[in-house]
Amino acid sequence: MKYQILIAGFGGQGVVFLVKVLSICAAKKGYKFLGTENHGMSQRGGSVSSHIKIGNFYNPLIDYGQADLLIGLDRDEAILNLPYLKKGGDLVVNASDFPKLEANEYIVDANQLAEDGLFDAKGLNVFMLGTVLKNVKNFPFSVEEIKEAIKEINPKFAKSNFEILEKALNYERN
Amino acid sequence: MKQTLMGNEAIAYGLLHANTQMISGYPGTPSSEILTTFEKISKNLPVYAKWATNEKVGFEVAYAGAIAGLNTAVTMKQVGLNVASDALMSASFIGNKGGFVLIVADDPGFHSSQTEQDSREFARFARIPVLDPATPAEAYEFAIKASELSQKFGIPVMLRSVMRVSHSREIVEVKDFNFEEKKGSFKRDIPRWAAVPRAGRLGQAYEREKKLKEIAKYSYENFIKPEIEKLKGTKNLIISSGAAFGYVKETLDELGLDIDVLKIDMPYPLPLDELKSLIKHYEKVLIIEETYPVIEEELRSENVYGKMSGDVHTIDEMTKERVLKALKNVGFYKGENIYKPAFENNFEVISRKPNLCSGCPHRDIFFAIKKVFRPKKSIYPSDIGCYTLGINQQAIDTVLCMGASVSMAHGFSIADNKKTVIATIGDSTFFHSGVAPLINAVYQKAKFILVILDNSTVAMTGRQATPERAAPGEVDLKKVVEGCGAEVMEYCYEPDIKKTIEFFKEVKKRYEEVEVPLVVISRQFCVLDKERAKENLKGVFATVDEEKCVACDVCTTQFVCPPMAYNEKGKIEIDPLLCVGCGVCISGICPTDAFIRRDK
C-alpha cells in the first residue's frame, strides 16, 4: 500500500498532533511510513504543512501532484498546498466556501461550528480528522485505530478528544 | 522494541545505547529535541544532561568529559556550530579518549534559520569524520556508530542531521541495552591536552592526517565496499548521501529508471583512490547531495556532474522535482515531469507570515519603542529569537546572529551618532552571547539603549529553561547587567499600552543623562509558557466598533496582532478563535478607540 497525506494549517492549530496520531496509527498497523513536520518559526502563526507517507518510501516530503489526501485546517493554507494534491484525490477543508476542483471535496465550516459552541476551538484538528474518517473512502485507518493513537499520545485529554471526534462523525450538513 | 520516533528522539536513544553519560548543548530548531528526549529517557540513570549558555560552552563541557574518558555528546543547530567552531578546530587536533559526538542539525531550505550551511563542510574544514543519516531509523544507528568511531579513533565525530531527518517520524527498532556507569578519570598528559604551539600541535597535526587516512580506509571497508558490491554495473552512476538519498531513490523508482546508486554514509573523509577508480567504470556520474557540493568537490573529475557543473540546484531544499530536473540535465531521463501540480493554482490567497503570538508582550514593547523613539530618528538593531518577528511591526532594522544586536548597537552609535540606537534582545540570547559585547560597550562608553525582553524561557525552540529560570535567585539578569557596568532600568510588563509607553518616555529621559549603555530589563512572560501565562492573561477579549474604525492601518501595520484583519466592509475584525484575551488593543492602540470589550 502507498498513501500520502498532507496536512495544512498554521502555527497553533495542532498540525503536529495530527502527524503524531497518523504515525502511531501506521506503526500499529505495521505499515512502513515517514512523516515530517515543521517546528520553530512556523509555530508563531505562520504556515505549517506536514506530510505523512505510508508505504515503501525513502524520504518524508510529498511532491507536487502526489498527495492522496489533503487535510486543510485553514482555507487559505489548503489552497496554498493544492499543488501537492493529485487529480481525483480527497480534499477535506475547514472553510465556508472553496473552489470546485477535480477532486473529492468535503468542505465544513468548522470555525463557525466552534464559534457556535459545537466543540472547543482547540479541538479543531480532531474535528477535521473526524470529518476525514466520515467522508474519505480509502482512508487507511478506522475510528477505533485513531482513538487508540489519540489515547496513546495523551490519555488525559483522550475523552474530550473522543467527544469532538464523535461530533464530527455525527455532524450532518444541512 | 519498535517505536515511532522523531529523528531527534531516535538520536537520543542511540546516544544512550552508546553509553553516553554527558550531553550538553544549546537549543536551536531543528536540533532541540535531542537533549530534551535524552533527559527524559535517562531520568533514572547517572547522567549529566543540561542546556549550556551557548554552543561553545556546551561543546567544551562535553568535550572535557570525553577527555576524562566518558562517552559524551553535544547538540546544536548549524549556526550554533559557528559559535562552537573555535573549540572544534582545536579539539580535532587534540582528540579525545571517550567517545565525543558532535551533533549538528542543518536546515536546508531556511525553514527556521538565518542561513542554510552544510555542516559536513565544517567537518571537512575541521578534519573530523562526519556521518550523514538519511532517515530517523538510520539516525539512531549512526548515533551509536558515531560514538563507537570516536572511541576507536580518538577523534570527535560529527553526526550531521537535516531538518527532514530530525523532524521526521518513522518506526525505529530500538535495541535493548544495559547502561554502564563509568567514573571519569582525567589522566594528566600535558603534551597532549595542553600542547603549546608549535611543536606539540605540529605532531598532532601529522597524527591527525594519519588518522584520517585510517578512517577513510575504515569507511571504505565497512560502509562503502558492501554498497559497491551491490551495484549492477549500469552505464551511469548516482552518488548520494543523507536525506538526499531518499529523494533520489524514490525518484528513480517512480520514473522507472535503472541506474546504479551509491549511498555514502560518511561524506568525509572519503577513500578517494577507491572511489575514483570506481567512477572510471561509468560513463557519467551524477552527485546529488544536500546542501553544498562536499562529496562532489572531493571527487571532481571530467565525468562527474552535480552542483559545480550547474546540473543540480545549489540553494534551497531538495525535492524530487529537482532530482528529476538534474536527471534530465545530464541526460539520464528524457520523459515528462511527473511532479507537476494537477491543479492550476490561480486562487488569490495570502501566505501567513510567522508572527508574534496573540498576547505576546514583545509586540507592546516594539509598539511603545516606535511611539517614543520615532523611526526617522532612531536605529533598531535586534537579534535571534521570537522577537525577530518584530520585523512585522518594522521595529527591527538589523538581524545578524546571536548577540550581535548589542555589538551592532555599539557600532551604529559610533557610525551614525545623530540617531538614537535602541537594540532588542531576549534573555536567553543575552546570556548566550550578549554579555561580552555589553562589557565592551560599557568600558568604551558607548551610548545606546539595550532592551532585554526577559520572558525567562527560550521561547522559540520549545520553551527550554534559561539560566535565571533554571536556578532562581542564583543567576540574576539584573546583577549581571549591573556587574557589566551598564545603567539599568527595570519594567514589569503590564497589558496596558499607555503604561508601557509612559515607561519608555522615562527611558528616553534617563538616556539623556547617562554616559554608558542604558539597559532596560523588561520582565515579561511567554504566552505559551503554561506555568506563567495563565496569571498574566487577563481574559479581556476584544471586538471592533465598526462605526469608529476608520481603516487607518495602525493596528495592522504598527501592532500586527494575528486575529486582526480587514473584513469585506473594509473594517477591522477580530477573529475570536485566535484572540487570547490579553486586552492590550483596548488599552489604547487604536487612535479612534474602535477596539471595545467583548462579553463572552
Side-chain angles (χ1 to χ4, degrees):
Chain A
M1 188 199 59
K2 279 193 169 186
Y3 196 79
Q4 307 188 53
I5 308 167
L6 193 147
I7 307 160
F10 55 85
Q13 284 193 313
V15 172
V16 171
F17 178 81
L18 292 188
V19 179
K20 277 191 199 168
V21 171
L22 297 176
S23 307
I24 290 172
C25 286
K28 279 191 188 289
K29 283 198 109 163
Y31 295 150
K32 190 173 179 287
F33 70 91
L34 271 166
T36 177
E37 57 218 53
N38 291 0
H39 294 216
M41 279 288 219
S42 47
Q43 288 190 321
R44 319 294 142 189
S47 301
V48 179
S49 69
S50 288
H51 302 187
I52 175 153
K53 291 160 82 173
I54 300 160
N56 222 11
F57 290 104
Y58 300 88
N59 94 79
L61 272 188
I62 297 174
D63 265 65
Y64 284 168
Q66 305 286 310
D68 297 281
L69 167 64
L70 169 61
I71 306 174
L73 301 185
D74 175 76
R75 178 189 183 272
D76 287 0
E77 294 302 325
I79 286 179
L80 285 168
N81 284 284
L82 272 181
Y84 293 96
L85 187 66
K86 72 178 184 193
K87 206 165 259 181
D90 290 292
L91 183 66
V92 177
V93 185
N94 165 27
S96 54
D97 68 288
F98 204 78
K100 201 82 205 95
L101 302 162
E102 269 181 78
N104 309 313
E105 295 181 18
Y106 308 95
I107 313 301
V108 57
D109 194 348
N111 280 0
Q112 189 60 49
L113 296 176
E115 229 174 295
D116 294 346
L118 182 65
F119 60 90
D120 185 342
K122 283 183 199 133
L124 172 81
N125 53 353
V126 176
F127 187 84
M128 292 308 292
L129 190 57
T131 308
V132 169
L133 281 167
K134 185 182 163 113
N135 295 298
V136 179
K137 282 198 192 87
N138 302 327
F139 190 64
F141 309 117
S142 69
V143 175
E144 279 317 305
E145 284 161 348
I146 293 282
K147 278 185 172 174
E148 259 183 66
I150 289 175
K151 204 169 157 190
E152 190 172 318
I153 293 171
N154 196 335
K156 222 167 88 189
F157 294 109
K159 194 170 161 262
S160 56
N161 276 325
F162 291 171
E163 280 167 18
I164 295 173
L165 205 63
E166 292 294 339
K167 277 177 183 162
L169 291 167
N170 295 324
Y171 176 71
E172 294 292 342
R173 258 179 301 185
N174 37 13
Chain B
M1 195 183 110
K2 278 192 175 138
Q3 284 202 57
T4 301
L5 295 180
M6 194 165 62
N8 283 343
E9 295 168 341
I11 291 171
Y13 275 97
L15 291 174
L16 201 58
H17 273 221
N19 233 38
T20 303
Q21 218 169 320
M22 286 174 73
I23 177 169
S24 183
Y26 187 80
T29 312
S31 74
S32 313
E33 298 83 3
I34 302 167
L35 202 151
T36 318
T37 307
F38 188 92
E39 212 178 349
K40 211 164 75 189
I41 60 177
S42 66
K43 222 171 198 166
N44 301 314
L45 299 172
V47 300
Y48 168 94
K50 295 223 183 289
W51 294 114
T53 43
N54 70 30
E55 295 83 357
K56 181 176 183 285
V57 173
F59 184 106
E60 289 156 356
V61 169
Y63 180 59
I67 279 183
L70 299 183
N71 289 346
T72 73
V74 58
T75 78
M76 60 195 67
K77 70 181 293 181
Q78 90 280 19
V79 284
L81 182 57
N82 303 340
V83 178
S85 63
D86 204 3
L88 168 64
M89 291 297 161
S90 296
S92 110
F93 278 84
I94 300 167
N96 38 272
K97 287 199 160 168
F100 178 66
V101 186
L102 162 62
I103 307 157
V104 192
D106 287 357
D107 188 14
F110 308 77
H111 290 280
S112 53
S113 312
Q114 59 271 44
T115 66
E116 206 168 33
Q117 289 184 215
D118 187 330
S119 297
R120 299 177 308 156
E121 197 82 271
F122 236 129
R124 185 162 65 148
F125 184 24
R127 303 280 187 266
I128 60 160
V130 50
L131 295 175
D132 193 9
T135 65
E138 224 171 65
Y140 165 76
E141 283 168 34
F142 284 15
I144 301 172
K145 268 185 195 159
S147 184
E148 286 171 358
L149 284 171
S150 177
Q151 287 170 74
K152 184 176 166 66
F153 292 100
I155 192 168
V157 174
M158 181 190 287
L159 177 68
R160 178 259 197 168
S161 180
V162 294
M163 186 271 212
R164 297 294 174 195
V165 172
S166 278
H167 285 173
S168 289
R169 281 173 204 278
E170 190 183 21
I171 301 170
V172 179
E173 178 72 53
V174 177
K175 296 174 225 155
D176 291 325
F177 69 102
N178 282 321
F179 189 85
E180 282 171 41
E181 188 184 2
K182 241 174 141 182
K183 291 281 174 226
S185 155
F186 175 71
K187 298 247 164 45
R188 177 163 294 119
D189 184 358
I190 297 168
R192 179 168 186 191
W193 308 126
V196 286
R198 123 181 179 99
R201 282 285 182 265
L202 192 66
Q204 289 180 338
Y206 283 121
E207 201 185 307
R208 190 181 60 185
E209 295 288 292
K210 212 176 101 205
K211 256 188 217 174
L212 284 170
K213 285 207 178 90
E214 283 167 25
I215 296 168
K217 196 165 171 253
Y218 178 94
S219 167
Y220 180 71
E221 293 297 333
N222 293 279
F223 298 136
I224 297 176
K225 205 169 144 198
E227 293 300 311
I228 289 179
E229 278 161 7
K230 282 188 228 157
L231 298 176
K232 288 183 278 182
T234 54
K235 193 168 78 174
N236 298 308
L237 172 72
I238 295 173
I239 294 179
S240 192
S241 139
F245 168 79
Y247 297 89
V248 171
K249 176 98 173 94
E250 271 183 31
T251 312
L252 293 181
D253 284 358
E254 287 165 11
L255 297 179
L257 294 179
D258 189 20
I259 302 171
D260 277 351
V261 183
L262 179 66
K263 179 171 176 284
I264 303 277
D265 291 338
M266 187 190 279
Y268 184 84
L270 290 173
L272 291 177
D273 293 343
E274 289 86 348
L275 286 175
K276 281 189 172 160
S277 71
L278 173 78
I279 283 172
K280 276 185 202 147
H281 294 108
Y282 290 91
E283 196 175 300
K284 284 181 180 177
V285 178
L286 174 64
I287 300 184
I288 297 187
E289 54 190 324
E290 203 175 28
T291 311
Y292 295 164
V294 173
I295 298 171
E296 192 184 341
E297 278 177 15
E298 297 275 311
L299 297 181
R300 212 172 177 192
S301 73
E302 265 184 17
N303 64 339
V304 168
Y305 300 82
K307 292 174 194 282
M308 294 166 80
S309 63
D311 295 301
V312 176
H313 76 289
T314 50
I315 290 172
D316 205 0
E317 210 174 2
M318 192 76 67
T319 63
K320 286 194 280 185
E321 192 178 10
R322 283 179 164 144
V323 174
L324 184 145
K325 279 183 182 155
L327 295 171
K328 265 196 149 165
N329 288 343
V330 294
F332 290 3
Y333 176 66
K334 292 189 174 67
E336 59 163 340
N337 177 5
I338 61 166
Y339 302 120
K340 267 194 308 213
F343 302 102
E344 281 308 315
N345 193 350
N346 40 21
F347 312 106
E348 251 182 63
V349 286
I350 306 155
S351 169
R352 274 171 190 271
K353 280 195 294 188
N355 193 352
L356 290 169
C357 300
S358 303
C360 174
H362 296 342
R363 178 177 287 108
D364 306 14
I365 302 293
F366 285 128
F367 187 87
I369 287 175
K370 282 184 73 185
K371 261 268 183 289
V372 177
F373 300 93
R374 308 301 302 185
K376 274 185 185 163
K377 292 181 186 163
S378 47
I379 306 173
Y380 309 122
S382 193
D383 228 291
I384 311 287
C386 285
Y387 47 87
T388 313
L389 298 170
I391 238 163
N392 293 337
Q393 292 168 266
Q394 295 179 316
I396 285 179
D397 288 320
T398 63
V399 179
L400 186 68
C401 60
M402 298 278 285
S405 63
V406 188
S407 16
M408 287 178 80
H410 185 173
F412 285 127
S413 72
I414 296 165
D416 191 353
N417 61 9
K418 287 204 177 63
K419 296 195 183 108
T420 312
V421 181
I422 309 107
T424 42
I425 191 169
D427 54 316
S428 178
T429 310
F430 178 72
F431 284 124
H432 177 283
S433 47
V435 181
L438 183 61
I439 294 170
N440 188 54
V442 167
Y443 91 83
Q444 295 180 11
K445 304 239 177 309
K447 205 164 147 58
F448 60 83
I449 299 163
L450 173 68
V451 183
I452 303 179
L453 304 156
D454 172 23
N455 58 11
S456 299
T457 184
V458 195
M460 182 153 259
T461 51
R463 298 174 295 289
Q464 293 81 5
T466 56
E468 210 175 16
R469 179 80 168 261
E474 289 165 36
V475 179
D476 186 324
L477 184 58
K478 198 173 167 208
K479 282 185 188 161
V480 170
V481 173
E482 282 169 349
C484 291
E487 283 287 322
V488 186
M489 287 177 82
E490 208 172 358
Y491 179 61
C492 284
Y493 171 81
E494 283 188 65
D496 181 336
I497 200 65
K498 287 198 181 97
K499 284 190 181 157
T500 308
I501 290 171
E502 274 316 304
F503 170 75
F504 276 97
K505 282 183 181 160
E506 279 171 45
V507 171
K508 196 177 182 187
K509 257 189 246 158
R510 181 78 174 275
Y511 174 70
E512 304 298 332
E513 301 156 7
V514 297
E515 290 305 323
V516 285
L518 174 59
V519 176
V520 171
I521 299 177
S522 172
R523 305 285 191 182
Q524 310 170 171
F525 65 99
C526 167
V527 291
L528 301 175
D529 184 343
K530 287 198 182 95
E531 280 175 47
R532 296 189 185 180
K534 260 192 195 145
E535 52 185 281
N536 284 294
L537 287 171
K538 307 284 182 210
V540 180
F541 291 87
T543 185
V544 177
D545 179 345
E546 289 193 353
E547 299 281 298
K548 285 186 178 169
C549 175
V550 294
C552 68
D553 291 353
V554 166
C555 59
T556 53
T557 61
Q558 303 289 311
F559 196 59
V560 205
C561 191
M564 297 176 182
Y566 282 110
N567 60 20
E568 322 73 71
K569 288 176 272 180
K571 303 285 183 181
I572 290 292
E573 202 173 277
I574 290 183
D575 185 336
L577 299 181
L578 296 178
C579 179
V580 296
C582 70
V584 175
C585 57
I586 303 170
S587 74
I589 298 295
C590 178
T592 59
D593 290 327
F595 292 111
I596 51 170
R597 202 173 170 138
R598 173 170 67 101
D599 299 311
K600 192 181 169 184

